Amino acid sequence: MILIIDFGSQYNQLIARRVREHQVYCQIEPPEIGIGKIRALRPEGIILSGGPASIYEAHSPRVDKEIFDLGVPVMGICYGLQFMIDALGGEVVRSEKREYGFAELIVGKAGAILAGVEKRTRCWMSHGDRIGRLPAGFRITASTENTEVAAAEDANRRLYGLQFHPEVVHTAEGKKMLANFLFGVCGCQKSWTMKSFVREATEEIRARVGDKRVVLGLSGGVDSSVVAVLIHRAIGRQLTCVFVDNGLLRLDEGDKVRALFAKHFQMNFRFVRARKAFLAGLKGVTDPERKRKIIGRIFIEVFDREARKIKGADFLAQGTLYPDLIESRSAFGGPSAVIKSHHNVGGLPKKMKLRLIEPLKHLFKDEVRLLGKELDLSDDLIWRQPFPGPGLAVRIIGEVTEKRLAILRMADAVLQEEIRAGNYYRKLWQSFAVLLPLKSVGIMGDQRTYEHIIAIRAVTSEDAMTADWARLPHELLARIGSRIINEVRGVNRVVYDISSKPPSTIEWE
Ligand code: XMP
């Protein structure tokens, strides 16, 4: 495995993904990880990530210097390089000005990391401070016009540093450089595959659970579905999946989930009808944050009540992914403003006193999809667009009622059908309908109408942090609009949302 020390760079998850794309397992740990734990992990190589700090700041992050004496190859990137040089007695020059953007890397006597790389190649810079003097034993392997020490190495001690970012796509040969480190220097094997993951994860789950029972809140989304199938493979009917029908689901959604998990996979499956409780709680509520809080609270109550009926349940399984884990413990993230309180099962473990099982907590989303494929889940499920926990409630602006839910559900079903038929479903991060709290005048036949407005939202995105509205073909939009107006009772106008995130968000509430 490769250990990545997280100095807080916005790119450090990208480093991990790049390493895993080379089929090498890696783990990101904070700099406070002690040398004892590092030894216990027995890494084949260590990567020190970049970060926003300057080595001269009072509280700049530092990892135990002993890592340079372990005999394990170390590669520092940007701040990671500066930390290494400072720790080993070289000099880092303070700089007021940042160098940001493309630079031409001029490779000298290439060394191990730059072996086989073009003599002149594009790289991506993002740094303030730079290296002034290298410690004894180091030599420069590449420079740019502005930065003399763009890459350096001490081949004897197997220490390497890059001032630029090999993990971002803008560095043309970054992939080769990482491969050189992983295979050329560290001698890693390509052993990280989903087949090996399934084998190890199922053994671990079996050993941990023993003869106890596991409860899982299944939503039918990618993550909880993959967790369900993985755990089911490990312990079969010792797993019970609980599906809460909150009445805020899309058309036929509950039935589809039941058919797949209860019938096809033959899992222990509990379908909890809680529509009434949710709608009663939401009666008269229009404030988006209040809606979210109410739904979250009722979900926990309903789920908790159901789980208590399962005798001998000691474990709660969750579909936590690696980015959640890293972000929740990041020392550099700092408190950020609550834009929307997200509904997931985060509040459950505290209340339920169950032990947690999170088999996906070291995986990225794309790896979860590969895992789903390895577990024979259908493409349809693996490529499902995300659907928010509070469901259609955050897509009904204003009060949530049965009647308004029925309108939105129908409009959404038409939209989904057309998006799939037009072959756009997988190209979009999300596509959905929103019901507005407004009516407008229309004409149908010779009659004046005064009815609801549906907004269509379709976005492209990599990770939901930013998103752009999708440039859907006009013909497709035309079909969606006319079908919704013709087929959904109570709607006489359809509009298309052309806002990107930021400054808008993906969901309307
Ligand atoms: P926003 O609207 O904040 O949404 O741009 C970003 C992504 O998160 C999804 N979303 C949620 N997912 N529980 C979830 O599991 C929630 O409460 C929730 N709210 C928003 C949203 O669909 C988008 O993909």
Side-chain angles (χ1 to χ4, degrees):
M1 66 93 70
I2 293 288
L3 171 65
I4 299 168
I5 299 292
D6 176 3
F7 283 137
S9 158
Q10 53 172 328
Y11 298 131
N12 60 37
Q13 289 192 31
L14 215 48
I15 303 175
R17 291 179 55 174
R18 295 286 173 263
V19 171
R20 291 189 190 184
E21 278 164 17
H22 284 298
Q23 295 184 340
V24 173
Y25 181 69
C26 64
Q27 224 168 287
I28 304 181
E29 296 291 340
E32 302 79 51
I33 180 180
I35 195 76
K37 187 161 175 214
I38 294 181
R39 277 211 182 87
L41 286 170
R42 298 186 24 227
E44 293 164 287
I46 299 174
I47 296 178
L48 306 176
S49 90
S54 160
I55 198 81
Y56 292 109
E57 282 165 21
H59 299 291
S60 56
R62 281 152 201 276
V63 65
D64 197 320
K65 282 187 199 173
E66 259 187 69
I67 59 164
F68 301 116
D69 304 325
L70 294 174
V72 175
V74 181
M75 181 166 80
I77 297 173
C78 198
Y79 175 85
L81 163 66
Q82 292 160 11
F83 169 78
M84 179 192 295
I85 296 307
D86 183 69
L88 297 174
E91 191 191 358
V92 177
V93 181
R94 236 187 158 137
S95 152
E96 297 305 323
K97 212 173 114 248
R98 277 191 90 73
E99 181 185 12
Y100 185 82
F102 285 113
E104 189 183 37
L105 189 71
I106 303 160
V107 180
K109 200 167 153 249
I113 306 296
L114 302 177
V117 167
E118 295 286 326
K119 285 289 163 209
R120 285 170 179 261
T121 181
R122 227 165 47 154
C123 71
W124 182 258
M125 288 286 190
S126 171
H127 65 112
D129 300 348
R130 61 190 165 77
I131 306 304
R133 182 173 45 77
L134 289 168
F138 273 83
R139 69 176 184 87
I140 297 174
T141 53
S143 309
T144 69
E145 198 183 317
N146 290 328
T147 307
E148 197 194 358
V149 187
E153 72 171 30
D154 177 341
N156 282 337
R157 283 194 285 174
R158 297 198 296 171
L159 304 177
Y160 308 87
L162 304 175
Q163 185 53 74
F164 54 91
H165 290 271
E167 68 277 21
V168 304
V169 289
H170 311 304
T171 296
E173 296 187 80
K175 201 171 167 185
K176 183 179 278 168
M177 297 172 197
L178 265 180
N180 282 341
F181 179 67
L182 300 175
F183 306 114
V185 175
C186 304
C188 294
Q189 300 289 319
K190 284 182 180 272
S191 59
W192 171 248
T193 62
M194 282 306 135
K195 204 184 258 336
S196 64
F197 178 85
V198 170
R199 195 176 49 235
E200 284 163 25
T202 46
E203 276 167 18
E204 202 178 308
I205 293 165
R206 247 176 248 135
R208 196 153 163 234
V209 173
D211 59 359
K212 297 289 193 294
R213 290 184 168 277
V214 179
V215 193
L216 167 71
L218 184 65
S219 70
V222 184
D223 306 339
S224 66
S225 300
V226 170
V227 171
V229 179
L230 180 67
I231 298 184
H232 184 249
R233 191 171 280 198
I235 58 169
R237 292 181 72 84
Q238 282 166 263
L239 168 71
T240 303
C241 297
V242 176
F243 179 85
V244 175
D245 179 359
N246 57 11
L248 308 169
L249 305 173
R250 285 163 294 188
L251 193 68
D252 300 332
E253 203 170 4
D255 293 338
K256 283 187 197 150
V257 174
R258 178 171 23 204
L260 181 65
F261 292 94
K263 298 221 177 77
H264 176 76
F265 282 111
Q266 307 243 312
M267 293 189 191
N268 261 327
F269 184 88
R270 298 201 178 194
F271 190 97
V272 190
R273 281 170 220 285
R275 199 191 64 195
K276 286 212 175 98
F278 283 89
L279 281 173
L282 288 169
K283 197 165 184 323
V285 179
T286 56
D287 178 71
E289 269 305 284
R290 267 195 73 207
K291 279 187 193 171
R292 284 176 169 271
K293 294 254 162 64
I294 291 167
I295 295 166
R297 173 177 54 75
I298 299 177
F299 178 86
I300 290 179
E301 284 164 15
V302 171
F303 188 90
D304 184 36
R305 199 176 315 131
E306 194 62 30
R308 280 174 202 278
K309 296 181 196 160
I310 302 163
K311 293 266 170 308
D314 266 22
F315 293 92
L316 176 71
Q318 288 193 339
T320 316
L321 301 194
Y322 204 28
D324 310 327
L325 188 77
I326 300 167
E327 271 149 36
S328 68
R329 66 159 193 222
S330 171
F332 315 103
S336 53
V338 174
I339 311 290
K340 300 179 182 185
S341 14
H342 265 220
H343 160 79
N344 46 38
V345 282
L348 275 173
K350 254 188 274 153
K351 180 170 168 94
M352 300 180 66
K353 301 197 186 74
L354 297 175
R355 283 182 281 168
L356 270 184
I357 291 199
E358 299 174 304
L360 311 184
K361 72 177 176 196
H362 283 120
L363 301 188
F364 290 105
K365 190 83 178 187
D366 46 341
E367 293 175 319
V368 172
R369 294 211 162 99
L370 288 176
L371 174 59
K373 209 162 175 56
E374 180 67 36
L375 293 167
D376 294 328
L377 280 168
S378 67
D379 276 1
D380 201 39
L381 200 148
I382 290 171
W383 290 100
R384 274 188 76 160
Q385 293 176 357
F387 184 67
L392 299 182
V394 292
R395 297 177 180 173
I396 292 179
I397 315 305
E399 191 183 2
V400 180
T401 62
E402 282 285 12
K403 220 165 135 192
R404 303 187 75 207
L405 275 165
I407 295 175
L408 182 59
R409 220 174 254 135
M410 285 311 297
D412 193 67
V414 171
L415 170 77
Q416 297 306 334
E417 222 177 278
E418 287 298 332
I419 292 284
R420 283 177 198 272
N423 236 335
Y424 268 85
Y425 188 81
R426 264 175 72 169
K427 294 181 194 146
L428 299 173
W429 174 265
Q430 270 171 305
S431 46
F432 54 87
V434 179
L435 178 64
L436 308 192
L438 297 168
K439 286 186 168 186
S440 79
V441 174
I443 172 166
M444 226 174 244
D446 294 328
Q447 296 289 319
R448 173 188 193 269
T449 59
Y450 185 57
E451 291 180 325
H452 294 286
I453 307 172
I454 286 283
I456 302 297
R457 181 85 164 131
V459 297
T460 52
S461 173
E462 287 290 317
D463 52 11
M465 300 295 287
T466 62
D468 196 8
W469 61 278
R471 277 35 170 196
L472 293 179
H474 290 173
E475 298 69 39
L476 178 58
L477 286 171
R479 246 189 333 272
I480 293 168
S482 85
R483 272 197 64 193
I484 291 179
I485 292 170
N486 284 317
E487 296 174 30
V488 184
R489 265 270 165 85
V491 176
N492 69 354
R493 190 177 297 271
V494 172
V495 296
Y496 190 50
D497 181 348
I498 50 168
S499 357
S500 54
K501 171 183 180 173
S504 303
T505 54
I506 296 176
E507 304 286 347
W508 278 41
E509 289 197 333

